[in-house]
Amino acid sequence: MKKTLLLFFLLFFLKINAQISDTLVLKNNDIIIGEIKTMNKGILQIETDYSKEDFKLEWKHVKNVSSDRIYIINLSNGNLLNGKILKIETPGKCEITNIETQTKSIIDLTDIVRIKPVDESFWGRLDASFDAGIKLTKAQSLQQLTINVNLGYTAKKWYGTATYKQIQSIQDDSDPIRRIDTDVSYIHLLPKDYFIPLSVVTLKNTEQDIDLRIVSKAGYGKYLIHSNKKYWGVASGLSFNHERFTGVSEANKSLELFLGSDLNLYDIGDFSIQSKVNFFPSLTESKRIRTDFSVDTKYDLPLDFFIKLSFIYNYDNKPKEGASKDDYVFQTTFGWKLD
């Protein structure tokens, strides 16, 4: 046991002290040597020995790049490569050696939309953010709390996300308002920018008398646009809706189609905008259709803090009798993200 522990700590020590020298040449001929952590959404992050914080710079300012490490590399045409990036003399281009096929390709740097080291640790593949908003007023003793938690994990050919959103409002002479959204999703990446989406989404909403709605989705999709400025993915498939309404003993179950769109814009300075919309025409309930829509606008601040403006809208043309057909939320929150 002692020998095993000694070996573990020795390997850990050797790993953290291994010398990694990735080289970037910028268009102004500045040279940065360090360890490339990631490149995604047009932003490259590199760790150096001469800075306490990782450098973050726009990918469009890079002229040449070279590294002996193995990366997961996504191209704008949907191809997914597993290989090494080598510098060539031509500015704005690089050579990628695919370790799976041992083929070499000359690639424009502008065609690379994502870079991830394959030997990255669990924490290096994890993304997380937390934001919250509080509103207190003397008038009618209004107390409102908003909490949003987001987790993401990126692997070689898939990524997963988990979100939790809660809004709670208490006011004199009014019933308490409470809304809880959760979403656990798995996206399996396929060649040519196709993907398979799987997810389980839940909703509790006093405004629409929804005690609990659970929607399980599976489908097939494609990124119509995937670049360093934006991506746009569409998907369709089947969903199963299991919902229980307040004051109703019997649960309602239905099979639905779903049509979805996800648009993300991130090459607009410190701003990023993500918009999602899903339509759910029912296959088992006559003429019923539901719609979920959301848009998040985020402004990045120093030290990984951010301000976010969010709008969420839900519509159901056949809600529980006496309940509202739609509900919307507009909120401003302040948060922090783990990079």
Side-chain angles (χ1 to χ4, degrees):
M1 183 64 179
K2 291 182 179 180
K3 291 182 178 179
T4 302
L5 290 174
L6 181 60
L7 179 60
F8 172 79
F9 284 114
L10 178 60
L11 291 173
F12 178 77
F13 178 80
L14 290 174
K15 180 178 179 180
I16 64 174
N17 284 279
Q19 297 296 317
I20 297 176
S21 295
D22 303 331
T23 303
L24 300 177
V25 180
L26 307 185
K27 290 183 178 179
N28 63 1
N29 292 321
D30 285 350
I31 297 175
I32 300 176
I33 297 175
E35 178 183 352
I36 295 175
K37 308 299 290 186
T38 183
M39 195 286 286
N40 194 26
K41 298 180 179 179
I43 301 298
L44 183 139
Q45 182 175 334
I46 183 168
E47 178 183 356
T48 66
D49 293 334
Y50 43 85
S51 175
K52 292 182 179 180
E53 298 290 335
D54 293 347
F55 278 113
K56 291 183 180 179
L57 55 117
E58 295 183 71
W59 181 247
K60 63 185 178 183
H61 296 314
V62 176
K63 181 170 67 173
N64 293 110
V65 59
S66 179
S67 177
D68 290 331
R69 293 190 294 154
I70 299 172
Y71 296 91
I72 304 166
I73 303 162
N74 292 81
L75 303 181
S76 58
N77 62 6
N79 287 340
L80 183 66
L81 303 178
N82 187 14
K84 296 181 179 181
I85 305 175
L86 300 177
K87 175 184 174 182
I88 60 175
E89 294 301 321
T90 306
K93 296 180 181 291
C94 68
E95 180 183 273
I96 297 179
T97 301
N98 191 331
I99 65 168
E100 296 176 348
T101 62
Q102 293 302 310
T103 57
K104 297 182 179 181
S105 305
I106 304 300
I107 304 294
D108 287 336
L109 295 184
T110 55
D111 290 334
I112 300 176
V113 298
R114 176 174 165 264
I115 297 173
K116 272 279 191 179
V118 298
D119 57 348
E120 206 169 2
S121 66
F122 170 82
W123 296 108
R125 295 172 181 242
L126 184 68
D127 299 313
S129 67
F130 171 84
D131 56 280
I134 299 174
K135 183 178 181 180
L136 302 172
T137 65
K138 183 178 180 181
Q140 296 183 308
S141 300
L142 173 63
Q143 304 174 40
Q144 188 177 79
L145 173 66
T146 301
I147 296 174
N148 299 313
V149 180
N150 297 273
L151 297 174
Y153 185 84
T154 303
K156 178 183 175 183
K157 294 185 178 181
W158 63 272
Y159 66 89
T161 60
T163 63
Y164 175 87
K165 302 179 180 180
Q166 178 175 336
I167 300 172
Q168 188 164 318
S169 180
I170 301 174
Q171 188 173 0
D172 289 348
D173 303 323
S174 298
D175 293 331
I177 297 173
R178 192 181 189 193
R179 177 187 174 115
I180 298 176
D181 298 77
T182 69
D183 184 343
V184 178
S185 299
Y186 169 89
I187 304 294
H188 188 80
L189 302 174
L190 300 172
K192 304 298 182 181
D193 263 351
Y194 289 95
F195 60 90
I196 297 174
L198 305 172
S199 66
V200 177
V201 179
T202 71
L203 173 65
K204 293 184 178 183
N205 188 0
T206 55
E207 175 67 17
Q208 295 177 292
D209 285 345
I210 300 173
D211 188 47
L212 179 62
R213 172 182 288 158
I214 304 174
V215 179
S216 305
K217 298 188 300 181
Y220 191 73
K222 179 176 176 57
Y223 290 108
L224 302 180
I225 300 174
H226 199 171
S227 71
N228 288 316
K229 296 183 178 181
K230 56 186 173 290
Y231 74 73
W232 178 31
V234 295
S236 64
L238 294 175
S239 67
F240 180 73
N241 181 12
H242 183 284
E243 55 192 355
R244 188 179 297 275
F245 295 102
T246 304
V248 179
S249 57
E250 289 289 331
N252 183 57
K253 302 176 182 179
S254 62
L255 183 65
E256 305 167 319
L257 289 173
F258 86 83
L259 303 171
S261 171
D262 183 1
L263 174 65
N264 198 328
L265 308 174
Y266 35 80
D267 188 24
I268 42 180
D270 292 324
F271 283 95
S272 62
I273 301 174
Q274 184 171 22
S275 176
K276 295 182 180 181
V277 61
N278 286 284
F279 299 97
F280 298 93
S282 179
L283 297 175
T284 55
E285 295 180 275
S286 177
K287 298 181 180 180
R288 184 186 183 188
I289 184 169
R290 298 187 303 104
T291 304
D292 294 335
F293 172 78
S294 68
V295 59
D296 293 320
T297 301
K298 188 171 69 172
Y299 180 74
D300 291 330
L301 299 171
L303 302 176
D304 292 328
F305 289 99
F306 61 86
I307 297 174
K308 187 167 69 174
L309 301 176
S310 300
F311 178 75
I312 302 172
Y313 179 76
N314 302 101
Y315 174 79
D316 185 348
N317 71 335
K318 289 190 175 182
K320 172 197 168 186
E321 185 176 352
S324 175
K325 285 187 176 183
D326 61 359
D327 183 35
Y328 67 87
V329 176
F330 180 81
Q331 60 187 12
T332 304
T333 54
F334 177 78
W336 180 81
K337 61 184 177 180
L338 171 68
D339 268 337

